[in-house]
Amino acid sequence: MRCSVLPDFCMLSSHVRLVPTTVRLVHSLIHSPSHSFMDLKTLLSSLNDFASLSFAESWDNVGLLVEPSPPHTVNTLFLTNDLTEEVMEEALQKKADFILSYHPPIFQPMKRVTWKTWKERLVVRALENRVAVYSPHTAYDAAPQGVNNWLAKGLGLCTSRPIHPSKAPNHPTEGTHRVEFNVTRTQDADKVISTVQGISDVSVTSFSARTNGEEQTRISLNCSQQALIQVVAFLSQNRQLYQKTEILSLEKPLLLHTGMGRLCTLDESVSLATMIERIKRHLKLSHVRLALGVGRTLESPVKAVALCAGSGSSVLQGAEADLYLTGEMSHHNVLDATSQGINVILCEHSNTERGFLSDLRDMLSAHLENKINIILSETDRDPLQVV
């Protein structure tokens, strides 16, 4: 997958190159009184089509987090990396009725919703003002057109693949397990097939097989976890009917361009100093933090970069690369990487994510066919700064 020619981003670039008069016309249409709206459920479905929430990590809290009482229509979608109280105030001033916050403002369970803590106050204000709150978080990390692919765009021409590929949401065939066994006599095969066909969530195929010079019938069953229990129960009660049994667990296939982190191989090696400048320019930062790998200098070549937006320790660990790029890593993980000669660049957590929102705004506008107004927060920022 070429970072420079990813179809979704090429589409994005074509929008950016529109002449200024056309851009002004589009924005005037977006803000006009005749601008259309979307029903909340329709919008949620479209967002899931854009990047399925099934891509999110199991520990994450993604999707619709705050829902006003139905019916709820959305005219203005407000994008932010973090939903703080300052950002909430901005969203309300701009008449947003749907906030897409990359980081989930609700993560740990809440036992009460009062005015005591800032996250509780966010929920109160959202409900009082009929504002829905939605978070995609790691679903956007994994998506082919998501945060990590945007981060990789700053490296230069390269090919990339996920460090930890996601699994497809569904199995390629029916069922989660396959049971195969041989039956010697034709009448026994007919009995077995007739019985298992009566079990829900079981598909049956059979074919001829020769074992030790003897013609037999090989029966193959695809079945769900629940159906497997019934199949095994039947077979255990009729052991005289079959032989050479195998039970296989069917794995969901890996997705080539979807998953956590990216391992990027540059078309041409560059010095570490050059790569640092590319990253700073892409992220619009004046400073980054650098840990040199053992035996490395600013002139050392960089060919392979392992990256992960946000906090990348667990994703990057074990990846073979010249450079690790992420927002933050623990002190000891940095030491582990540098001891292996791997350079580490840290940019602060949300600095590796926030710039993606500008691309996201344009991609969502196209995906939603400009049916709603999409605006980007102007107050959202990383809480840490260099002083």
Side-chain angles (χ1 to χ4, degrees), residues 30 34-38 42 46 74-76 364-374:
I30 288 176
S34 60
H35 189 70
S36 60
F37 58 86
M38 295 184 72
T42 303
S46 294
V74 177
N75 294 281
T76 300
L364 285 182
S365 292
H367 181 73
L368 301 175
E369 300 175 338
N370 291 318
K371 290 179 180 178
I372 57 175
N373 184 20
I374 302 178

Side-chain angles (χ1 to χ4, degrees), residues 103-119:
H103 285 139
I106 302 173
F107 194 80
Q108 300 297 336
M110 288 184 171
K111 293 186 176 181
R112 58 185 58 82
V113 179
T114 70
W115 202 247
K116 186 175 182 179
T117 68
W118 70 276
K119 290 195 173 184

Side-chain angles (χ1 to χ4, degrees), residues 26-97:
V26 169
H27 282 292
S28 66
L29 289 174
I30 288 176
H31 290 92
S32 69
S34 60
H35 189 70
S36 60
F37 58 86
M38 295 184 72
D39 173 75
L40 177 60
K41 288 185 177 180
T42 303
L43 174 58
L44 293 175
S45 178
S46 294
L47 289 175
N48 198 62
D49 290 339
F50 174 76
S52 174
L53 294 177
S54 65
F55 295 154
E57 296 289 272
S58 59
W59 50 260
D60 208 356
N61 190 35
V62 296
L64 185 63
L65 305 182
V66 178
E67 179 182 8
S69 59
H72 185 65
T73 56
V74 177
N75 294 281
T76 300
L77 187 156
F78 183 89
L79 291 174
T80 183
N81 200 78
D82 292 293
L83 183 55
T84 62
E85 290 189 278
E86 183 182 10
V87 172
M88 173 63 83
E89 183 62 35
E90 179 193 4
L92 296 180
Q93 289 178 1
K94 294 180 177 177
K95 308 300 182 185
D97 30 39

Side-chain angles (χ1 to χ4, degrees), residues 171-212:
H171 290 84
T173 59
E174 295 180 49
T176 59
H177 292 79
R178 177 171 295 162
V179 182
E180 292 190 352
F181 52 89
N182 286 3
V183 177
T184 303
R185 299 190 304 171
T186 301
Q187 58 268 37
D188 290 340
D190 292 340
K191 176 183 177 181
V192 170
I193 292 173
S194 176
T195 300
V196 296
Q197 282 179 333
I199 301 175
S200 298
D201 299 324
V202 174
S203 61
V204 185
T205 57
S206 61
F207 50 91
S208 297
R210 181 172 291 276
T211 303
N212 298 326

Side-chain angles (χ1 to χ4, degrees), residues 88-162:
M88 173 63 83
E89 183 62 35
E90 179 193 4
L92 296 180
Q93 289 178 1
K94 294 180 177 177
K95 308 300 182 185
D97 30 39
F98 185 98
I99 296 174
L100 190 156
S101 175
Y102 167 74
H103 285 139
I106 302 173
F107 194 80
Q108 300 297 336
M110 288 184 171
K111 293 186 176 181
R112 58 185 58 82
V113 179
T114 70
W115 202 247
K116 186 175 182 179
T117 68
W118 70 276
K119 290 195 173 184
E120 292 176 68
R121 290 193 293 271
L122 288 177
V123 176
V124 171
R125 297 204 72 190
L127 291 174
E128 285 180 339
N129 291 277
R130 295 191 57 75
V131 178
V133 179
Y134 174 94
S135 175
H137 201 201
T138 52
Y140 279 13
D141 289 349
Q145 75 280 30
V147 182
N148 284 306
N149 268 51
W150 167 82
L151 187 57
K153 287 172 64 179
L155 303 179
L157 293 176
C158 64
T159 56
S160 70
R161 61 176 176 82

